[in-house]
Amino acid sequence: MNNFTYSIPTVIHFGKGQISHLAELKRSGDRVLLVYGGGSVKKSGLFDAAVKILTDAGISVTELPGVEPNPRIESVRRGAELCKENKIDMVLAVGGGSAIDCAKVVAAGACYDGDPWDLVLDGSKIKAALPVYSVLTLSATGSEMDEFAVISDLSKNEKWGTGSDLIKPVMSVLDPCYTFTVPAKQTAAGTADMMSHTFENYFTNVKGADLQGSLCEAVLKTCIKYGPIALREPENYDARANLMWAGSLAINGLLSYGSEVGWCVHPMEHELSAFYDITHGEGLAILTPVWMHFVLKKDPSKTAQLAAYGRNVWGLTGEDSEAAEQAVNKTAEFFFETMKMPANLRAVGITEKTHFEEMAAKAAAGCGGSFVPLTKEDIVSIFEMAF
Ligand code: NZQ
Ligand code: ZN
């Protein structure tokens, strides 16, 4: 196991009615920027509930509406300007990962003199940020409890993740009831996203981090159990609650401390989103089984780890090679049959291969230190197989 420093400072208020804690934002000042997406929070009544609690607490609200799924740098720039013009004290996101990611870079951009895109390209340039808060409405990214934010500049086909301890949310409200209205497509995509975060941490080359591995298996089994229930019964509280907490734990550091490894499926997916603006979790679901298959082929020494995944998560038996192959098949079956997700790139509207070389070259920069390091050519093959 590697050395590590545990630092997960976000206060989580989990469960029904926890939104009342928004009154505590008063500690950070009198003026909040409220960041939200395309309107789901208005439809559900959450927006009005949040504004009432804030105004009752004596906090004035400025709005940044319309944050896009795969949030754009233009929204971030708009938000940073609003903060500066209105002398905003803190930023509150109400929504999914896109609203929260946008809020994080807005909070940093508000304290930065240049273009916020600089902060997306280089997280070390984040030297200060307004306090960030969130009310989560979609279980997926873990942004409510981590230091990352992913922002796109679609004019350049670029989507990059940045990170800084300074943009970790101070406090997040996680009320599973707010996810009852999440449509099936996003429920499935969110489940795939948190599973992918877990896989990225689980398939590591660090030896002896057994506890982290077991925690990963527990998160995966939780997703496999509750994802299908949430699809069938969108208002099943326990299903939504387990998925919500799994999403936070998958990426907040708990699973990766001491067993650090470079992520690989995410850099590949971010290229798909950057060029084709697809839903993140759908891209991950398509790539994951293909990547597992490719890993087994490129580096057979990884067979035992894939087999252990098959045994411990899927209850498979048999020789390593058979269990590993079956584990890949089980993963594909779960995403494409049980969770009814699109199974290839054409199914998400990517109908030509024009950009594969360029996308692979960019993704390869992130895949060098991963479980099985991938070259640009490897990644082109993976895109081809996913096509
Ligand atoms: O915009 P609204 O109207 O709110 O609708 C959203 C959006 O259309 C809708 N939605 C959210 N909550 C809902 C709801 N609809 C009904 N009821 C609710 N309760 O769902 C759609 C997708 O929302 P979005 O926030 O885009 O989804 P998600 O949470 O999956 O976030 C995706 C973004 O996060 C990035 C992704 O790349 C992508 O840009 N990621 C962020 C990470 C992080 N910060 O650590 C890590 C991830 O790997 C990921 O890259
Ligand atoms: Zn993700």
Side-chain angles (χ1 to χ4, degrees), residues 173-230:
V173 171
L174 272 59
D175 181 339
C177 300
Y178 298 146
T179 65
F180 287 173
T181 52
V182 173
K185 171 192 161 89
Q186 294 294 344
T187 299
T191 304
D193 190 21
M194 58 183 93
M195 287 177 73
S196 178
H197 298 156
T198 311
F199 287 134
E200 303 266 26
N201 292 321
Y202 182 58
F203 292 112
T204 176
N205 296 316
V206 176
K207 302 277 180 245
D210 286 9
L211 176 61
Q212 291 88 329
S214 300
L215 291 170
C216 288
E217 289 163 359
V219 170
L220 291 170
K221 285 198 271 191
T222 301
C223 296
I224 291 163
K225 175 174 177 183
Y226 286 109
I229 297 176

Side-chain angles (χ1 to χ4, degrees), residues 31 52 94 213 263 348:
R31 286 177 295 267
K52 180 163 188 337
V94 182
W263 288 21
V348 291

Side-chain angles (χ1 to χ4, degrees), residues 63-80:
E63 292 179 38
L64 176 65
V67 174
E68 312 79 2
N70 295 329
R72 314 285 197 261
I73 188 61
E74 291 81 1
S75 295
V76 174
R77 289 184 183 124
R78 212 156 21 97

